[in-house]
Amino acid sequence: MDTGTGPRPAGAVGYRELAGQLAVQYESVGFEEVHEQVLHLLPVAPVRVLDVGAGTGRDAAALASRGHSVLAVEPTVELRVHTGGGIAWLADSLPELSSVEGEFALIMLTAVWMHLDPSERRRAMARIASLLAPGGRVMMLLRHGPVPQGRRMFAVSGDETAVLAGEFGLAETHRGGRGDRHARAEVEWTHLVLDLKSA
Ligand SMILES: C[S@@+](CC[C@H](N)C(=O)[O-])C[C@H]1O[C@@H](n2cnc3c(N)ncnc32)[C@H](O)[C@@H]1O
């Protein structure tokens, strides 16, 4: 039963209290706008997608509307907005994702990696790699910038993440930087796309 009443990860601190306000912010930009640089790298044929740290389900809903079957994992259940067809919700968290089962052709990690400390990032990368179907792809959006008050974030980089991914059989396919869609001058983002290397 997905009640979301279990323990919350340290990285989710500060989200529940501001869920209403944050949901409005996350919904103020569209999936195509957030992922503009990497839209051409999305699978075309319907596949099973895992969206970790799914927030309101903005991206999950857009991917479901493209025909994909999406498992949206989000520890802050108060953020959920999109509950339509094609999306299954799960209150779970990195690094373990202990309730997630099966394999996924695409795993989305959008604005969530910075919530994990170095040890958690290592365990999370191992778990993410283990959940990929053969030929599977990971699409990450890494946040760089100051930590909002009351939140728990760590500095992450494209280089460090790509090296870590390589240790678990994932090769960098694409990297690109961009500014913030909410016009915060001090916040920047890195798109990182990683593909499971064939055995
Ligand atoms: C900045 S929000 C991004 C939400 C969504 N991906 C988006 O782009 O709008 C980060 C999300 O990660 C979730 N989160 C924090 N720590 C997490 C963890 N350890 N595992 C999974 N999700 C986590 C938070 O609850 C929050 O919804």
Side-chain angles (χ1 to χ4, degrees):
M1 178 78 172
D2 179 20
T3 57
T5 52
R8 283 165 200 260
V13 67
Y15 278 98
R16 178 166 44 181
E17 298 78 357
L18 295 175
Q21 181 183 323
L22 290 171
V24 170
Q25 179 188 330
Y26 299 157
E27 291 293 306
S28 71
V29 291
F31 171 79
E32 280 77 11
E33 194 183 348
V34 173
H35 299 282
E36 184 182 9
Q37 283 187 12
V38 292
L39 289 176
H40 62 290
L41 298 173
L42 288 169
V44 177
V47 294
R48 199 162 177 239
V49 179
L50 176 65
D51 185 6
V52 185
T56 61
R58 177 200 64 226
D59 295 349
L63 289 162
S65 76
R66 289 170 176 241
H68 303 301
S69 167
V70 187
L71 179 59
V73 172
E74 174 52 60
T76 311
V77 299
E78 295 83 357
L79 284 169
R80 273 181 212 178
V81 171
H82 300 272
T83 53
I87 310 176
W89 282 94
L90 194 59
D92 200 354
S93 57
L94 292 163
E96 275 81 19
L97 295 176
S98 47
S99 302
V100 176
E101 294 176 347
E103 290 184 332
F104 301 85
L106 175 65
I107 300 181
M108 303 287 292
L109 292 159
T110 302
V112 65
W113 202 243
M114 73 288 179
H115 285 310
L116 306 177
D117 70 21
S119 157
E120 291 169 333
R121 292 203 291 276
R122 171 164 291 277
R123 283 151 53 211
M125 191 63 83
R127 180 67 173 134
I128 290 294
S130 77
L131 287 168
L132 279 174
R137 173 165 285 177
V138 180
M139 298 179 79
M140 306 181 81
L141 185 57
L142 305 176
R143 180 192 190 280
H144 316 290
V147 182
Q149 195 174 9
R151 228 73 73 73
R152 178 209 196 230
M153 295 182 188
F154 301 89
V156 293
S157 76
D159 282 348
E160 179 218 66
T161 310
V163 168
L164 180 64
E167 292 184 38
F168 296 98
L170 294 163
E172 180 177 342
T173 302
H174 170 93
R175 193 191 302 198
R178 67 162 172 81
D180 185 51
R181 294 290 184 253
H182 300 291
R184 293 168 294 194
E186 70 284 10
V187 177
E188 294 188 338
W189 299 88
T190 300
H191 286 282
L192 190 63
V193 179
L194 306 161
D195 286 347
L196 194 60
K197 290 182 250 179
S198 47

